[in-house]
Amino acid sequence: MDIQKIRFLREKLRLVERQMNDPFSRDAGCCGLTLAQCHTLLEVGYKKEVSLVDLALSFGLDTSTLSRMIQGLVVLGVVRRLTSEKDRRYVAISLTDQGRKLFDQIEARFNTYFAQVLELIPSEKQDAVVECIGLFSDAVRRNSESARCCEVGSDSDEKGRPAR
């Protein structure tokens, strides 16, 4: 593949990341949450109720790390954790009423932000941009599921997977 195309893509993605982090951090911060807490609250809000294990998997974190994050949100009164009576290892996470209000507030802010961004793109290209970002996101996810960056060498195949 063309190295210039790869470098261009990487540069643009770094710029997008930096430019998006500021308004998201500012918006999440004004609601009293860190950006990580905001992402967690949104994920719980989208799923309505989710197990701690499934939530940790969706973020690629171990459950102990996520459990500490959830505890901070419990203390803030925006999420609740409910341990199953049948299986003490199963912990369900859901939003409180206060958490639902905060979720709705953050969703509205982010929807407005992205609507403003899309309005800066010619209307006939907006659908293509959304589609391409979806395709790119899916490709990154698929590659991340199979990538093992530290295993390249004599014990791996040409795609970096362990040799059998």
Side-chain angles (χ1 to χ4, degrees), residues 3-160:
I3 191 70
Q4 291 303 95
K5 187 185 298 184
I6 292 168
R7 285 184 180 147
F8 177 82
L9 176 64
R10 290 177 53 219
E11 176 186 347
K12 292 301 180 182
L13 287 174
R14 280 194 310 275
L15 287 171
V16 166
E17 181 180 21
R18 283 196 304 263
Q19 292 164 345
M20 285 179 59
N21 275 344
D22 182 51
F24 288 147
S25 296
R26 188 174 55 245
D27 281 348
C30 78
C31 296
L33 301 178
T34 66
L35 190 56
Q37 288 174 323
C38 182
H39 284 294
T40 304
L41 181 93
L42 290 173
E43 192 70 17
V44 172
Y46 295 141
K47 294 183 175 175
K48 308 290 186 222
E49 181 176 294
V50 61
S51 76
L52 182 64
V53 170
D54 289 342
L55 193 57
L57 285 172
S58 69
F59 285 118
L61 299 172
D62 62 71
T63 54
S64 64
T65 300
L66 189 61
S67 185
R68 287 188 295 275
M69 168 82 68
I70 293 297
Q71 184 56 34
L73 293 171
V74 168
V75 169
L76 291 171
V78 295
V79 301
R80 71 176 65 84
R81 25 171 20 138
L82 183 62
T83 305
S84 170
E85 292 178 13
K86 295 178 182 177
D87 183 354
R88 304 281 304 155
R89 296 170 297 176
Y90 183 85
V91 178
I93 310 297
S94 61
L95 296 180
T96 62
D97 289 342
Q98 180 183 348
R100 174 57 56 190
K101 289 176 188 168
L102 188 56
F103 171 84
D104 292 340
Q105 182 182 354
I106 293 169
E107 272 290 283
R109 285 183 181 179
F110 287 175
N111 287 342
T112 298
Y113 176 83
F114 282 103
Q116 291 168 342
V117 168
L118 278 174
E119 287 174 6
L120 298 172
I121 297 170
S123 60
E124 68 276 4
K125 295 189 178 193
Q126 291 176 5
D127 288 342
V129 168
V130 172
E131 180 184 7
C132 287
I133 289 174
L135 290 169
F136 185 78
S137 174
D138 290 345
V140 168
R141 179 189 46 77
R142 285 192 318 268
N143 189 60
S144 295
E145 289 171 353
S146 65
R148 291 177 175 85
C149 67
C150 299
E151 295 181 7
V152 175
S154 60
D155 293 341
S156 59
D157 67 13
E158 69 279 356
K159 292 187 178 181

